[in-house]
Amino acid sequence: PPRPRRTRSGAENSDKTQGFVLKRQMRVIPERAVLTVKRYDGLWCVEHEGEAFGHSREKEVAKAAANRHARAMQDLGKPCQVQVQGEHGFGFS
């Protein structure tokens, strides 16, 4: 019989399983709330679940509002992420 091959992780692969990814127990990543800082009618604002808040003419002020909101959410145990959309002229909607 052919000798089992070893993968980089050290797991054995026989000819039958060669080419297939072996399922391993993976870390569970909780759902994250996404706060998006983007341009809207000439202003920067923060959008979360369809609600816009933290309106400002300056992007940095809107980012600070998003970070404050994200910190409050994380303090309550809700993982979240802040993303900036359209800061380089791309992604305007």
Side-chain angles (χ1 to χ4, degrees), residues 1-7 10-18:
R3 191 171 143 202
R5 298 180 195 152
R6 292 208 178 262
T7 63
E12 290 185 0
N13 276 341
S14 66
D15 286 336
K16 288 181 180 178
T17 60
Q18 193 66 28

Side-chain angles (χ1 to χ4, degrees), residues 43-80:
L43 297 175
W44 288 93
C45 68
V46 183
E47 185 178 272
H48 177 249
E49 294 181 346
E51 286 187 46
F53 58 92
H55 295 82
S56 173
R57 290 184 179 162
E58 296 181 28
K59 176 179 65 173
E60 295 303 317
V61 174
K63 283 173 49 178
N67 288 326
R68 279 193 307 273
H69 196 77
R71 173 59 63 191
M73 292 173 71
Q74 287 179 346
D75 288 345
L76 295 173
K78 176 74 174 165
C80 58

Side-chain angles (χ1 to χ4, degrees), residues 20-68:
F20 292 98
V21 176
L22 298 176
K23 290 185 179 180
R24 290 189 241 167
Q25 192 170 7
M26 297 182 74
R27 189 175 65 153
V28 176
I29 300 174
E31 272 300 306
R32 291 179 182 221
V34 177
L35 300 163
T36 306
V37 178
K38 64 182 191 177
R39 299 272 299 176
Y40 182 75
D41 286 339
L43 297 175
W44 288 93
C45 68
V46 183
E47 185 178 272
H48 177 249
E49 294 181 346
E51 286 187 46
F53 58 92
H55 295 82
S56 173
R57 290 184 179 162
E58 296 181 28
K59 176 179 65 173
E60 295 303 317
V61 174
K63 283 173 49 178
N67 288 326
R68 279 193 307 273

